[in-house]
Amino acid sequence: MARVVVDVMLKPEILDPQGQAVQRALPRLGFEGIADVRQGKRFELEVQGPVDEAALARIHEMAETFLANTVIEDFTVRVES
Amino acid sequence: MARVVVDVMLKPEILDPQGQAVQRALPRLGFEGIADVRQGKRFELEVQGPVDEAALARIHEMAETFLANTVIEDFTVRVES
Amino acid sequence: MSLDTVKHAAETPDTAQPWAELGLKQDEYERIRAILGRRPTGAELAMYSVMWSEHCSYKSSKVHLRQFGEKAPENDALLVGIGENAGVVDVGQGYAVTFKVESHNHPSYIEPYQGAATGVGGIVRDILAMGARPVAVMDPLRFGAADHPDTKRVLPGVVAGIGGYGNCLGLPNIGGEVVFDPCYQGNPLVNALCVGVMKHEDIHLAKASGAGNKVILYGARTGGDGIGGVSVLASETFDATGPAKRPAVQVGDPFQEKLLIECTLELFREHLVEGIQDLGGAGLSCATSELASAGSGGMRVELDTVPLRDATLSPEEILMSESQERMCAIVEPGKVARFMEICEKWDVIATVIGEVTEGERLEIFWHGEQIVDVPPRTVAHEGPVYERPYARPSWQDELQADDANKLPRPASSDELREQVLKVLASPNQASKSWITDQYDRFVQGNTVLAQPEDSGMVRIDESTNLGVAVATDGNGRYTKLDPYTGAQLALAESYRNVAATGARPLAISNCLNFGSPEDPGVMWQFAEATRGLADGCLALGTPVTGGNVSLYNQTGETAIHPTPVVAVLGVIDDVNRRTPMAFTEQGQLLYLLGETHEELGGSAWSQVIHDHLGGLPPRVDLEREKLLAEILIAASRDGMIDAAHDLSDGGLVQALVESCLRGGNGARILVPEGLDPFVFLFSESAGRAVVAVPRSEELRFTDMCGARGLPATRIGVVDGESLEVQGEFGISLDELRSAHQGTIPALFG
Amino acid sequence: MTARVGVVTFPGTLDDRDTQRAVRIAGLEAVPLWHRDKDLKQVDAVVLPGGFSYGDYLRAGAISRFSPVMESVIEQAKAGMPVLGICNGFQVLTETHLLPGAMLRNNHLHFICRDQKLRVENADTAWTADYRAGQQISVPLKNIDGRYVADERTLDELEAEGRVVFRYLDGNPNGSLRDIAGITNAAGNVVGLMPHPEHAVEPLIGTGRTDGLGFFTSLLKKLVNS
Ligand SMILES: Nc1ncnc2c1ncn2[C@@H]1O[C@H](COP(=O)(O)OP(=O)(O)O)[C@@H](O)[C@H]1O
Ligand SMILES: [Mg+2]
């Protein structure tokens, strides 16, 4: 079975308090040098059958209509090697 | 500035109610052929300075102690090209 | 792969078995062999080991808990007593209420969010299994020092877990406790309480009867949760390729539980369930053996039919799995189809896994082969019973001799004022709203009172306004100083809290959190505390309906303070008559009910100002508590008081500040003749409450107190924008508010 | 004959029974609607109540949006039927794009439960006619995903068209842009808000205020007058 990964991140202009909270905590934990942190979602899909153009197109549609809310989020789809 | 991505996923043996809810919804939306869905977190870190061995080691430590809860989660660290 | 069948076990009596790794003692293992007349199979060994564990069998505590039955007061209200999933109390108008408090201490230290979340989930299923709709939850919590770095890991996780799970279930959180003490540093206490309501005829019990009836497992699929220990066994039984490492941590799915609640209530409504049991600790082992043990007849289970999340689980692991959000029901064959329809409606997976049989054995099969053949009672109800040795610790006398009443006291009014603010701002006395605001207290639309009121109160009938109130209390410091008295103080405070809101206390539940029973000193604390609680319940007329014992709460050799948490349930005929704690109107007269003695042992003042624990806790007078409660209830019923607030840790000044801040009004206070202002403000004498009396009711109220012999002292009046203690100091509401409300957000926000 | 108000139950809905009670207290008939049924049972209006439908997994409201009942609700909403989304219901309405924008995790990342003061900005919708524009009301707020966001253009449009219906007062509880607590569609029949009017309808319960009753009496007037 093939794995397809969909990454969903908030659009750059949308405030990401979770990422900010992580970033703010880092120096306290002794980690310096991280200029920015954004937190998003990662979906791992196990696909039955071949992951061809058609399958990827369907997954793209699924991401666009369901896994991501494109009002606030961007997404990428990729096949994991 | 370089970007390092930390992916955090629930360990395979741990219940993932979110992934399950997504998977169960897919057929209703007309998407067939997805055997399993797992949902995790994706952190995008913007790193100041060079992303050398030392920097990656620190990020690895950060992921282990802070970004992931290793009681229930696994993580991977990679430099994004 | 060799399956350890019953037949195989009989043929190979000498096979070595990992009973010690599973926590069994040699004599316990021998007893299992004697019961079965052969060595147990791997699956049987797994079942016995987990069902005979301290957690499931109460083997160390049983001999002491018996008193709760033996000394039970006559009480017609008790419909179902100790022994079932939860006790059930008659609250009138055909309604019954069930409630119980349970611990999830150890899991919450390892994984605070999931540990606390699944603690809520577990207690809610207990209540559901009685036939009741869960209507509210509460969460008595204990953490290490507030400023310790690990508390910053544990507390936010626990609070988020309780909120995350309870909020998602739609159960209002109506109260609880948050206490900090270094003794809980490596062993926080996460107790969770749930209350449920049903009609008398809807009470369900956990028993399997009627040969031919089906055993249905429904809810979540079974995964490898919480079976860390049993993997030892699996890897023994299986070949080198044995199963992967199993998580000891259970993960909750509150959405699934919400479906389970609605689905189960619909099953009850259509009378489709003969017997029912939730799956909690020890999973299917516990559910099947308890159902079979409590019923008539035996049970046969085909383990292969259990829906799995992880196909590699061994039969032992399936029996042990503590996957959450599952229930087991006994259903007549003719009703199975309808049962399945309702489960389908709620998207709940349901599977017939076996049936009730004529015999007297619990028989479990795997791929057609028998792997379990046991008398269920020997697993579920006839486990080992220990008479653990106990002895008063050698340090107890010294601790009690270290009298807190001799500690240096404030030398001036300024210093007294300073100490008032300091105690008020200390983590234990500070406002917990940063925590409780993370809990939904409005959902279900029946919440009459919730934190920070003395008790939570929910309406249970919209047409008659019948309601119930619940409070939980426990003071580990008092109990350390004197376990017998400490347990009674916990009972008395909780009882008083319920009465303060106008409800009549009916019954109690408890969660007894102690250290290792193998330590005779701890065992003495336990014995004393249970004795105190049983005697106290007899005196107050409030039976123990159930509860939970959590032992081994310690870090290395050091036990936590003995911490019995007592939950009292009360009933109020008309929630319109409830008494809130706020001073809402200027001019209300303030009366202190009860007597103030010089009692500072274990007090908040001694902890905050002197970091001291010693002496004796406040004295208990249960007759006085009863009288006080009667007065508070009568005053509420007859509309004689506008507000009431019980006095406990922090003393009078704490109660005054809380009621002032809640109502947004100040108070002018007069120190009664002959009383030291410091003692007046900080003593923690029991059996007291402060009430606000409208001027028009003063005479009627004082006459009532006088006639019944309850000391009632007029101590002041609601007035102005500050707390003025005449001749001593004044503090503005703003200053009080920032002292009281700033601490917890500053630590955890 | 009184007006019929449908109250939808999704798996994980919590405030359905409370909403039905509020509808009844206001003198309307409450009609339970089930997520799997397309049939709206001839109701005159629909409320999508609060809760955690589908556990709020993926995103709040994201899965419920695709339920059969929503097909009918969307259709009827577009045809002018009054629809109110409370909390999770508001989240469903933004996910269906009946209302613009989206709801995100509170900026402080915690669940928050409190009595919340609001200003009614628009008293012309189907659900707010019994209030005055500018009126201040207090109703309970309880959520973790309550931060309203939309792009600047959408926000400007909402403001210009008077479609911001409620604004938070005395401190923004979650980082919502422009203190927005609730909005309406262009026609004014679809309203969504995060706070819970159905929990402020009885003097003794919850916060003890009845400021939320106006939502349901507004609807009653509208339905009876039309
Ligand atoms: N963890 C908690 N969850 C819910 N309510 C809490 C919690 N901790 C404290 N409370 C509430 O805060 C109020 C004050 O608590 P506390 O000071 O312990 O009460 P008391 O000592 O008077 O019994 C009570 O209403 C109590 O129920
Ligand atoms: Mg109290």
Side-chain angles (χ1 to χ4, degrees), chain C residues 587-606:
Chain C
Q588 289 168 329
L589 302 175
L590 297 177
Y591 273 84
L592 175 62
L593 309 182
E595 285 163 87
T596 306
H597 305 285
E598 192 167 290
E599 294 184 298
L600 295 155
S603 66
W605 174 82
S606 70

Side-chain angles (χ1 to χ4, degrees), chain D residues 164-183:
Chain D
V164 174
V165 184
F166 303 98
R167 241 185 270 272
Y168 296 116
L169 291 182
D170 292 355
N172 184 327
N174 49 29
S176 285
L177 295 176
R178 304 198 191 177
D179 297 336
I180 289 176
I183 57 174

Side-chain angles (χ1 to χ4, degrees), chain B residues 10-17 20-21 24 69 71-72, chain C residues 110-111 114 225 245 247 249 251-253 256 309 325 347:
Chain B
L10 284 170
K11 295 187 176 182
E13 67 272 20
I14 298 273
L15 174 70
D16 173 14
Q20 279 194 358
R24 261 187 271 149
N69 175 355
V71 177
I72 51 174
Chain C
I110 299 169
E111 213 315 276
Q114 295 296 345
D225 308 62
K245 197 166 135 270
V249 176
V251 173
D253 179 356
Q256 175 74 53
R309 200 171 79 225
E325 293 95 22
D347 291 322

Side-chain angles (χ1 to χ4, degrees), chain C residues 118-167:
Chain C
T118 52
V120 174
I123 191 66
V124 168
R125 284 193 300 283
D126 267 326
I127 293 308
L128 181 62
M130 296 308 299
R133 173 179 281 280
V135 296
V137 294
M138 299 174 97
D139 60 330
L141 309 175
R142 307 286 185 283
F143 300 101
D147 56 0
H148 191 287
D150 198 45
T151 306
K152 287 193 173 48
R153 169 186 75 95
V154 176
L155 182 144
V158 164
V159 169
I162 288 166
Y165 205 98
N167 295 341

Side-chain angles (χ1 to χ4, degrees), chain C residues 451-492:
Chain C
Q451 60 273 1
E453 298 286 340
D454 280 341
S455 63
M457 186 182 288
V458 292
R459 174 178 67 182
I460 64 175
D461 187 301
E462 275 175 58
S463 54
T464 66
N465 283 322
L466 179 67
V468 295
V470 189
T472 80
D473 282 292
N475 188 318
R477 286 167 55 81
Y478 291 166
T479 314
K480 173 114 184 204
L481 295 179
D482 179 348
Y484 182 90
T485 307
Q488 292 200 338
L489 283 165
L491 170 66

